[in-house]
Structures are given as structure tokens and as C-alpha cells.
Amino acid sequence: MSVEESLKPLFSAITELKPSFIDRLSQAVSIPSVSSDESLRPKVFEMAEFLKSQLITLGAEDIQMRDLGIQPPPVVDPKLQLPPIVLARFGQDPAKKTILVYGHYDVQPASIEDGWATEPFTLVQKDDKLIGRGSTDDKGPVIGWLNSIEAHRKVGLELPVNLVCCFEGMEESGSLGLEELVAQESDKYFKGVDAVCISDNYWLGTKKPVLTYGLRGCNYYQITVSGANADLHSGVFGGIIHEPMTDLFKVMSQLVDVKGNILIPGVNEMVAPVTAAEDKLYDPIEFSAEELSQAAGADTGYFDDKKDILQHRWRFPSLSLHGIEGAFSGAGAKTVIPAKVVGKFSIRTVPDMDSDKLDQFVFDFVKAKFAELGTKNKLNVELIHGGAYWVSDPFNDNFTAAANATKLVWGVDPDLTREGGSIPITLTFEQELKTGVVLLPMGRGDDGAHSINEKLDVPNYIEGVKTLSAYLHYYAAGAK
Amino acid sequence: MSVEESLKPLFSAITELKPSFIDRLSQAVSIPSVSSDESLRPKVFEMAEFLKSQLITLGAEDIQMRDLGIQPPPVVDPKLQLPPIVLARFGQDPAKKTILVYGHYDVQPASIEDGWATEPFTLVQKDDKLIGRGSTDDKGPVIGWLNSIEAHRKVGLELPVNLVCCFEGMEESGSLGLEELVAQESDKYFKGVDAVCISDNYWLGTKKPVLTYGLRGCNYYQITVSGANADLHSGVFGGIIHEPMTDLFKVMSQLVDVKGNILIPGVNEMVAPVTAAEDKLYDPIEFSAEELSQAAGADTGYFDDKKDILQHRWRFPSLSLHGIEGAFSGAGAKTVIPAKVVGKFSIRTVPDMDSDKLDQFVFDFVKAKFAELGTKNKLNVELIHGGAYWVSDPFNDNFTAAANATKLVWGVDPDLTREGGSIPITLTFEQELKTGVVLLPMGRGDDGAHSINEKLDVPNYIEGVKTLSAYLHYYAAGAK
Ligand SMILES: [Zn+2]
Ligand SMILES: [Zn+2]
Ligand SMILES: [Zn+2]
Ligand SMILES: [Zn+2]
């Protein structure tokens, strides 16, 4: 029997189970598991318990609520417990392939005062939209995996793979403890995992499904310029001392040009050239400059061409100036000469940029430009946060399974996309488990994750469950 | 009888009254009349009442507590009353000259938690220092005038001039209502004023008294660059849109060079050249580059030469970059592309800079540099606060009287100084009353007005009362 044949009854069951699936998501959304709000930490734990009870009901084995200990500072409550990482398995058949699915059960903050049209922690169905905090990020996809199990059980279809679930509760707050756990469990709980599927991003637009095969990295720097030992009055000291702000502006203004080109020697030279094969991947992608203007709320883009826009968002580096710590930042007119200012900027990284070399290029350039100034102020430049880029072969077994599943459910080949931001856990799974990761999104580009009125379209939710299910079957059938 | 002869018994009385004078200052300091703290507003009123009772005791006439109405927003209490301006006269003899003395009875905030060694609102005498908030700024000088009256009464010496007192309670909070009152009363309460004396600044150093004949003005500008309609994520938008921060840094970095030279065409050309006579005024001034390094807490000055330092502080313009509103200003690493940023800078102005022309030069330059960028973001540049410079003839009758008084009491010719900052009321009195103003300071350069452990040295307080008194007598004797 072909994969498609065997999926027919499963898909019918998924369609029939729609009310039950929506009810399950509704229960999940009703628990305000906001990881960044210490006062709501008990709700994050409650959400973990909800998942555990669902997993038990669905027949999961070896369920483990992994204690991550106390949250490190800065915290208000020094004894604040981290929510557990929930681990579970469905099947341990050595004859089957093993897929690890990752998702997060914590959510962003939300309050009706922020401008929500409805109570954010009550899932409301309006037209064909399921509105509520976490609907698309990331409770929809997490519950989606559970729904798939339920549908398999209902039609008596055996899961085609061993499924390992890894659901964390701190994703919106830096994924504290996750990397360590993945490393520790790589040859224990996660032993034998053949492929990883993460459903925690979005279609590029609103109509065409995508698979995501790349993420930019990010190296975040700060430049500290210090002069006097306290802020000075510009009336008394203006015109007679080297002002740290003047020096900082001179240096930071030379990092990038007004068209976004990075001016630090050596950086652009590290970027892998676009191959003809890669360039062709951009041809079918549905996207336009208008969509960019709409998203930014202004017509301030550099490019009109689709490929230019997407490639500069996804596969070329960028440098952004974020702000200054220690300078006047309020409204009005304060006549201060700040004594010590810390300029912040970051570089989005892509293949084949070497992170250490990049740091060195940045440090050398900043120091050279500062030295040219001939100022008596002091300089320090440092990397304060780093995260590597990730790119996968979009035609490996894992992606092929996801592409086949998408094609079957949505009737189109998915666009192959990257993202400009980073999802650090992707690289962690790939490196620690030495296996491939596919990013298989459920929601659409306009879902408003992290915004007010976050939603998940009913078709994305229900067809999404079908896609996740079909992915498992195609992977089982096709993986070598 | 010479002025010096007639002052002898007065000076003896002042020396004898020292305990009473310290007690009067102690009472004044014990009232925490912090004008910027709404919760302490009743204390500002209490301080006004304290002055009124002192003025009554000392025989003042025509005492008026001038109601200034409700404080305009921003305020917490929409009905917050402004403290009164206290007006009083001693004598209305048409045969005598009339001197207006100005001071303020409000003070800066202070709390022991800020690092004060003693309770800030309790005047503590330690060695020869009177420590307490307001001791030098500006309760010492205000009470100093009252002490002078008391001493005259004690020895039965008639005041040689008609004295008009103008004491305000909002100086530390923008002198709300003062300018209007001075304008209104110019030919009423203040009619016939021949000269104005303000004792609300400091010696340049700690050893030599000064008279101050100039203040720089200040034009404060902001440059607004706006792009998207909301802050954007640099992962998603970095590399594809014009970033307002990049544009702002490009423009602001071109305003001034690293040695403090203003790069806006036309600005330096407006500055009056230093004449030989003016330059000679700097010869006797006691000051060294070491004092600058000590004040700044760092050796980051542009100049080693005394004249260079003082002239660039007092009589050349300067341009300082103060900060950015709307950008990331916190600690850590936030990967935001700010949608709208407002850069703040100010230019300290001196003779003969025309304020309107200066604005036009600034606007033209900023707009031209922005246009050169070829960005799609939007620019706005505006003046948000302006205050004119002030310079007096340091050899007129008013200054001569003050110089003679200083010489008699301290035994040296005072240094003739300017200040880099502004005291806007100086110009207001000069323009509205069409008369000269002298700035005759009581305290020393290290008094720490606005800082912790503010103090006034006992000799400065007591000899200061003698100086203020002698000033009145020399003015009466010498003014044409
Ligand atoms: Zn997420
Ligand atoms: Zn999220
Ligand atoms: Zn003052
Ligand atoms: Zn003050």
C-alpha cells in the first residue's frame, strides 16, 4: 500500500476530530504559561502537567518531567524554579526510524490592555481563525503532534516511526537549560534519533506553505568609550574635553553605509557566493516588495526585486546599530556630557563566516578607527552575545519527507525559505544529535506571534496535523 | 568719612554676629525646600514664610508673597501651586540709588542614601565647613543679605542704598513664572532699580574670589529620523531596509570633530574675535589644567594652556551630543531596529552669534547631510530649547563696586570670570530693567552645589556677608 493510500483514513479521522482538536488547543491556550512573568511561573508548571496528562492518555511511554533546577539571576525570587522539559516516547521499535519532535509550551506575555480584541488566554474562533496567545507560537504545533497520535489511535494505524517528544517551557525566555539537556541526553534519552522536526516558525506569506532550511546567526557587540569619572555639565565642560559621545559616533558611523553594506574589511569576503543552484531556489518563492513595505509600515526598503530582498534577509550578513547605554535617552533637553557610553550593534551572520575571525575583524576595525581619532578617551570593544547560523541541505531525506507531506496536503511544492533571525536550538540538535533538522511550520506569516491578536487559521491547524502526520509516514518510507 | 572707615564697625559687628548668622542659615537649611519634589512643595512654601518672618523682623517694607498660580504640566498633582516669589524693600529714599538683589530659596533634592556623610537637611559644622543642602546654593547668599541688614541695624548704620529683594522658590526647576514677573514689575515694584546683584554662582577655584561677567547661551536641537511604523527585528529586517539609526549616526557624527571644533559652516564665523584687552583679562586668573583634570576625574582635556581652557569654556562655542531617544538604552543585547530615533545635541553660544542664524545654519547643514545620504527615511530637525548668552562690561560702576568690596574684604583683586553654563535670569533682569547685573559669588568652586556633601566654608559665609555689605556702600559712593 502506498503512503498516500494508508494516509486516507488517517486524514478522514483528522477532519472528523477537528472539534476535539480545537478543544484540546483551547485547553492549552487557557493556561497562561508566560515564562517571562515570574508571577505566572505556576501556570507554566500547570501547562507542563497538562501535557503530561495528555501524553499519558495518548499512551506515551517513559514520560519524564526533567527538573532544570533554580533559574539563575536576574530574578526577583532567588528560588524561582525553572519549568521542566517534558520528554516522552511513542514506540521503541529498533526496526523503525526515530524522529524527535521539538516544541515549546511557554508563551509570550499578553494582556487585554495591550490592545487585544478578545481575552488573550481564551481561544476564540472568529471566521476561520483561532485567536489566542500561543495559538500559533507554539501551542498549536505542540498540540498538533498530540492530535496526530490521537488520530493514529482512532483509526488503528501504527505510528510509522518511533516518536520522541521534547517540549520545553522556557523558549520565550532564552531556552534556559535546554542546550545542556540535549547535550546530556544525546546518547541517552535521544539515542538513536534519526531526524529532528521543529514546528515553531511560519510561512513566509499567507498562502503558500514553506520548509525552512536556513537561519542567520548573530554576533552582538558593544563599544565602550569612557572619559570623565562622572557625567559632566556641557556648559562647564563643553569645548574643553574629549567627549565620549563624539568619539562613539565617529566610530559607529563608519561600521555600515546607508545602504546596509558592512564597511569592516574582511567581513563580506567571508560570505559564500550564491551558486546558480541556490539562486534557482528563490525563483518559485511567492513574495513581493509590497509585502515588505506592508510589514515595515513604510516604503523604506533597499530593494525592489524579490530575490534581492530575500537573499539580503536570509543569506547575506547585515549590521544594525541598536542603541547607546549611558547616554541621555529621555524626552526633552538634558545638557549632559555622558561620562561613559556603550554603543550596541550586531552583525547577522551567514555561511561561510567564521565567528572568531569576524570578532577579530570587528575588534581590529573599531580599534583602528578609534586610534585614528587621536582622542584621550578610553575604548573597549567586546562580543557580548553570539549565536551561529544554520543551513541545511533542503533536499535530504528529512526535507524530502516534509516536502512530500506538504505537497500531499496542500497540493503545492513548498517554498524553500530561510529566516533572517535565529532559532539557536536548531543548531544544537544538529550538532549534539549529529542528525538533520527540518523546520516545518504550521502557521502563516501574518499570525502575529509575539503581537496582539495572535491567531492560527483553522485550515493551518487541521491541515497542519495532516502534514505533520504525513511527514512521519514519508520519512519512514523514504529514509535510507 | 571714607567707605572703608564707615565699614569698620559694620565688619566688627558681622564678625561678632557669626553665631547668629550660622544659626539663621541652620534654620533655613532645616527646611527641605526641594522644588522638584512635589511631595515637598509645602516645605518650599514654609521656606517662603520663614523668609517673610525674617524680613518682618529686620524691618522690611512692602513685603509681597507673589502668587504664581498653578504649576503647568507635567505634574502629578494637577492643582500643584507654585511657590511665591518673595518681594521686599528696605528703604525708598529717592536720593539714594536702588539695588535689586536676587536669590533663590529652593534647593536640589538630597538624601542620606545618595552618599551624604551627614543628614543633608541638618547644617553641620565640621572644621571650618558648613555642610548641608542649600548651604552654598543658594540659601547661604540669600541669608547673607538678611545678615547684612541685621549687622547694619545692630551698629545703627543706615543702608547706603534702597534695597529690593527678589527671592524665588523655583530656580532649581526652571524658574517658572519669574521671567513674567520681572517683565510685569519692571516699572512697578522694580521701578527705579539702578543695578542688580546676583549671588548664585561660585569662585573658579578655592582660593581667589571672582566676579563673573559672562555666561554662554545654549541652543538645544533634536534630529528625528523615522522609518518603519514600529520597531523591527534586526534578524528579519536587517539588510533590507534603511535603518534610522544608521542615518542618524551618519549625520550626527558630522556635526563636530573629535577636538570639539564645530563643523557646521557659518557658526564659527559669527564668533567675536578675542581682543587684546579681553585676552589680558585671563592673565591674572588662577587656574591650571590640573584643576580641570581633577574636576573631570580624567586627563581628557583638549588643552594644557590656562587661557585655551578658560576661553574655550567661556567665550567660544561648543557642541555636545547628548543622547538618543527611541533607541535601545538598556544593559544587555536587544536586537531591535528602532523605528524612530531622536538625536539630541546642543550648541553653547557666545557673542556675537545670532541665535536665529545659528538655527538656520544647523537646519541647513543637517538637511544637506541627510539629503546626501540618499535614504528613504524621513528627517525632522528642530530647536527645542534656547537661551541667550550674556556678557557685561566688567569695569562698569556695578562691577567696580563689587571689585572694591572684594578687594577690601579678601585683600586681592577678584579674578574676572565667565561661566560656560547659563543663568537665564541674568539676561532677563538686564533686558527688562535696562540695567547692569553683577554676579558676585559667595562660595568656592568645590562647594558641591547639586552634589552630595554640599558645603559653604565659614570664611566664605562671614567674609561674604562683609563683601555683600561693602558692595552696597561702594556702589552708593561710586555710582554716577
Ligand atoms: Zn516559538
Ligand atoms: Zn515565540
Ligand atoms: Zn543656585
Ligand atoms: Zn542650583
Side-chain angles (χ1 to χ4, degrees):
Chain A
M1 195 161 64
S2 72
V3 169
E4 292 76 17
E5 279 303 310
S6 66
L7 285 171
K8 270 189 185 158
L10 186 72
F11 282 15
S12 298
I14 290 171
T15 302
E16 280 163 35
L17 284 166
K18 181 168 128 178
S20 149
F21 291 172
I22 292 176
D23 179 62
R24 184 176 280 125
L25 181 57
S26 180
Q27 290 180 58
V29 167
S30 73
I31 304 168
S33 53
V34 179
S35 56
S36 63
D37 183 340
E38 288 190 28
S39 71
L40 290 174
R41 186 58 56 88
K43 293 294 174 184
V44 188
F45 277 87
E46 184 182 328
M47 184 65 202
E49 289 299 326
F50 170 77
L51 287 179
K52 182 182 176 184
S53 71
Q54 294 284 316
L55 287 161
I56 291 170
T57 306
L58 294 168
E61 306 147 38
D62 197 9
I63 300 171
Q64 299 193 9
M65 308 294 272
R66 299 297 289 263
D67 179 11
L68 301 174
I70 284 168
Q71 184 167 336
V75 283
V76 175
D77 173 6
K79 292 185 170 167
L80 188 70
Q81 287 286 332
L82 286 167
I85 289 175
V86 180
L87 301 177
R89 312 179 176 282
F90 292 91
Q92 296 200 63
D93 183 345
K96 289 180 182 169
K97 293 283 177 188
T98 301
I99 298 265
L100 183 150
V101 299
Y102 161 89
H104 63 89
Y105 62 84
D106 64 319
V107 295
Q108 286 279 323
S111 130
I112 193 100
E113 287 80 38
D114 297 339
W116 283 73
T118 57
E119 178 51 52
F121 295 104
T122 302
L123 192 74
V124 174
Q125 185 170 353
K126 216 176 143 188
D127 303 326
D128 235 11
K129 293 178 197 325
L130 299 164
I131 303 162
R133 175 56 87 219
S135 55
T136 194
D137 179 22
D138 186 37
K139 287 178 175 174
V142 166
I143 300 300
W145 291 113
L146 304 185
N147 294 340
S148 173
I149 310 284
E150 185 186 1
H152 279 86
R153 287 164 68 95
K154 181 168 179 183
V155 297
L157 182 64
E158 202 184 319
L159 275 181
V161 296
N162 303 314
L163 198 69
V164 176
C165 298
C166 176
F167 300 141
E168 70 158 325
M170 283 297 284
E171 197 273 344
E172 302 292 7
S173 300
S175 289
L176 300 176
L178 179 61
E179 195 172 327
E180 295 77 357
L181 181 122
V182 174
Q184 279 165 26
E185 299 301 326
S186 63
D187 56 0
K188 294 178 193 140
Y189 203 98
F190 300 152
K191 191 178 164 96
V193 166
D194 294 291
V196 175
C197 181
I198 299 178
S199 186
D200 187 24
N201 67 317
Y202 312 95
W203 295 358
L204 182 58
T206 59
K207 299 205 179 70
K208 203 170 166 193
V210 311
L211 301 180
T212 304
Y213 68 96
L215 301 164
R216 293 198 292 189
C218 183
N219 281 18
Y220 201 107
Y221 301 96
Q222 65 182 25
I223 300 176
T224 304
V225 181
S226 45
N229 65 353
D231 287 358
L232 301 174
H233 188 282
S234 68
V236 182
F237 290 92
I240 56 172
I241 62 154
H242 287 279
E243 301 189 14
M245 280 287 273
T246 305
D247 299 346
L248 184 68
F249 271 75
K250 296 282 179 197
V251 173
M252 285 182 76
S253 65
Q254 297 181 68
L255 297 170
V256 62
D257 78 12
V258 80
K259 292 285 281 178
N261 299 301
I262 298 172
L263 302 176
I264 303 165
V267 173
N268 297 312
E269 290 78 353
M270 292 193 288
V271 177
V274 183
T275 63
E278 184 192 347
D279 197 66
K280 265 181 60 183
L281 293 181
Y282 289 84
D283 288 327
I285 299 178
E286 271 193 14
F287 188 75
S288 69
E290 286 72 48
E291 288 179 65
L292 170 63
S293 299
Q294 209 161 20
D299 181 24
T300 59
Y302 293 140
F303 309 105
D304 293 323
D305 178 67
K306 175 183 81 174
K307 273 193 195 180
D308 281 336
I309 295 171
L310 295 179
Q311 291 186 357
H312 280 86
R313 168 184 279 185
W314 295 342
R315 67 97 56 224
F316 286 113
S318 64
L319 189 157
S320 295
L321 308 180
H322 303 299
I324 303 176
E325 184 183 348
F328 176 47
S329 61
K334 189 176 172 192
T335 56
V336 67
I337 298 177
K340 178 177 155 184
V341 287
V342 185
K344 317 274 181 113
F345 69 98
S346 69
I347 297 179
R348 295 283 163 178
T349 59
V350 298
D352 296 319
M353 294 168 75
D354 179 280
S355 179
D356 293 336
K357 272 192 197 161
L358 176 63
D359 294 347
Q360 205 51 57
F361 289 141
V362 168
F363 299 159
D364 290 350
F365 182 77
V366 168
K367 286 175 187 166
K369 290 295 161 192
F370 190 79
E372 279 174 20
L373 298 179
T375 173
K376 290 184 183 171
N377 290 321
K378 302 259 176 297
L379 170 83
N380 188 41
V381 53
E382 62 198 309
L383 176 81
I384 60 168
H385 180 80
Y389 56 79
W390 168 78
V391 178
S392 171
D393 167 12
F395 301 108
N396 66 20
D397 290 344
N398 202 17
F399 273 84
T400 301
N404 286 338
T406 304
K407 178 80 187 274
L408 180 67
V409 173
W410 295 96
V412 289
D413 289 315
D415 282 341
L416 293 173
T417 64
R418 298 195 193 188
E419 294 211 348
S422 52
I423 308 177
I425 193 58
T426 311
L427 195 64
T428 304
F429 278 124
E430 188 175 279
Q431 292 177 337
E432 295 295 339
L433 307 190
K434 297 178 181 54
T435 185
V437 181
V438 63
L439 303 186
L440 174 52
M442 180 180 266
R444 301 182 188 178
D446 68 348
D447 279 357
H450 297 208
S451 297
I452 58 168
N453 304 322
E454 177 182 346
K455 60 90 180 165
L456 177 64
D457 295 84
V458 175
N460 283 60
Y461 185 44
I462 301 303
E463 303 309 294
V465 175
K466 292 179 187 169
T467 307
L468 298 179
S469 304
Y471 158 71
L472 301 178
H473 287 267
Y474 278 114
Y475 188 82
K480 277 139 250 161
Chain B
M1 196 162 65
S2 71
V3 169
E4 292 76 17
E5 280 301 311
S6 66
L7 285 172
K8 269 188 186 158
L10 185 72
F11 282 14
S12 298
I14 290 171
T15 302
E16 280 163 35
L17 284 166
K18 181 168 127 177
S20 149
F21 291 172
I22 292 177
D23 180 61
R24 184 176 279 125
L25 181 56
S26 179
Q27 289 180 58
V29 167
S30 74
I31 304 168
S33 52
V34 179
S35 57
S36 63
D37 184 340
E38 288 190 29
S39 71
L40 289 174
R41 186 57 55 89
K43 294 293 175 183
V44 188
F45 277 87
E46 184 182 327
M47 184 65 203
E49 289 299 325
F50 170 77
L51 287 179
K52 183 182 176 184
S53 71
Q54 294 284 317
L55 288 162
I56 291 170
T57 306
L58 294 167
E61 306 148 36
D62 196 8
I63 300 171
Q64 299 194 8
M65 309 292 272
R66 299 297 289 263
D67 180 11
L68 301 173
I70 284 168
Q71 184 167 335
V75 283
V76 175
D77 173 6
K79 291 186 172 168
L80 188 71
Q81 287 286 330
L82 286 167
I85 289 175
V86 180
L87 301 177
R89 310 180 178 283
F90 293 91
Q92 295 201 64
D93 183 345
K96 288 181 182 168
K97 294 284 178 186
T98 300
I99 298 269
L100 183 150
V101 299
Y102 161 89
H104 63 91
Y105 63 82
D106 63 320
V107 294
Q108 285 280 323
S111 129
I112 192 100
E113 287 81 39
D114 297 339
W116 282 72
T118 57
E119 177 52 49
F121 294 105
T122 302
L123 192 74
V124 174
Q125 185 171 351
K126 216 177 145 185
D127 305 324
D128 235 10
K129 293 179 198 325
L130 299 165
I131 302 161
R133 176 55 87 221
S135 55
T136 194
D137 180 21
D138 187 33
K139 287 179 174 174
V142 165
I143 300 300
W145 291 113
L146 304 185
N147 294 340
S148 174
I149 309 284
E150 185 185 1
H152 278 86
R153 287 165 66 96
K154 181 166 180 187
V155 297
L157 181 65
E158 203 182 319
L159 275 181
V161 296
N162 303 313
L163 198 69
V164 175
C165 298
C166 175
F167 300 141
E168 71 158 323
M170 284 297 283
E171 197 275 343
E172 302 292 7
S173 300
S175 288
L176 299 176
L178 178 61
E179 196 172 327
E180 294 77 358
L181 180 121
V182 174
Q184 279 166 25
E185 299 301 325
S186 63
D187 57 0
K188 294 179 192 140
Y189 203 97
F190 300 151
K191 191 179 165 97
V193 166
D194 293 291
V196 175
C197 182
I198 299 179
S199 187
D200 187 25
N201 67 317
Y202 311 95
W203 293 359
L204 182 57
T206 59
K207 299 204 179 69
K208 204 170 167 194
V210 311
L211 300 179
T212 304
Y213 69 96
L215 301 165
R216 292 197 292 190
C218 183
N219 281 17
Y220 201 108
Y221 301 96
Q222 66 182 25
I223 299 175
T224 304
V225 181
S226 45
N229 66 353
D231 286 359
L232 301 175
H233 188 282
S234 67
V236 182
F237 290 92
I240 57 173
I241 63 154
H242 286 279
E243 301 189 14
M245 281 286 274
T246 305
D247 299 346
L248 184 68
F249 270 76
K250 296 282 179 197
V251 172
M252 285 183 76
S253 65
Q254 298 181 68
L255 297 169
V256 62
D257 77 13
V258 81
K259 293 285 281 178
N261 299 300
I262 298 173
L263 302 176
I264 302 164
V267 173
N268 297 312
E269 289 79 352
M270 291 194 289
V271 177
V274 183
T275 63
E278 184 192 347
D279 196 65
K280 264 179 63 182
L281 293 180
Y282 289 84
D283 288 326
I285 298 178
E286 271 193 14
F287 188 75
S288 70
E290 286 71 49
E291 288 180 65
L292 171 63
S293 299
Q294 210 162 20
D299 180 24
T300 58
Y302 293 140
F303 309 106
D304 293 323
D305 180 66
K306 176 183 79 175
K307 273 194 197 179
D308 281 336
I309 295 172
L310 294 179
Q311 291 186 358
H312 280 85
R313 170 184 278 184
W314 296 341
R315 66 96 59 224
F316 285 113
S318 64
L319 189 157
S320 296
L321 308 179
H322 302 299
I324 304 176
E325 184 184 349
F328 175 47
S329 61
K334 190 176 169 191
T335 56
V336 67
I337 298 177
K340 179 177 156 184
V341 287
V342 185
K344 316 275 181 111
F345 69 99
S346 69
I347 297 179
R348 295 283 163 178
T349 59
V350 297
D352 297 320
M353 294 168 74
D354 180 280
S355 179
D356 292 337
K357 272 192 196 162
L358 177 63
D359 294 348
Q360 204 52 57
F361 289 143
V362 168
F363 299 159
D364 289 350
F365 182 77
V366 168
K367 285 174 187 166
K369 290 296 161 190
F370 190 80
E372 280 174 19
L373 298 179
T375 173
K376 291 184 182 172
N377 291 321
K378 302 261 175 295
L379 170 83
N380 189 40
V381 52
E382 61 197 312
L383 176 81
I384 60 167
H385 180 79
Y389 57 79
W390 167 78
V391 177
S392 171
D393 168 12
F395 301 108
N396 66 19
D397 290 344
N398 202 16
F399 272 85
T400 301
N404 287 337
T406 304
K407 179 80 187 275
L408 179 68
V409 174
W410 293 97
V412 290
D413 288 316
D415 282 340
L416 292 173
T417 65
R418 297 196 192 186
E419 294 211 348
S422 52
I423 309 178
I425 193 59
T426 311
L427 196 64
T428 304
F429 278 124
E430 188 175 280
Q431 292 178 337
E432 295 296 339
L433 307 189
K434 295 178 182 53
T435 183
V437 181
V438 63
L439 302 186
L440 174 53
M442 179 178 266
R444 301 183 188 178
D446 67 347
D447 279 358
H450 298 208
S451 296
I452 58 168
N453 305 321
E454 176 182 347
K455 59 89 179 166
L456 177 64
D457 294 85
V458 174
N460 283 59
Y461 185 45
I462 302 303
E463 303 309 293
V465 175
K466 292 179 187 168
T467 307
L468 298 180
S469 304
Y471 157 72
L472 301 178
H473 286 267
Y474 278 114
Y475 188 81
K480 278 137 249 162

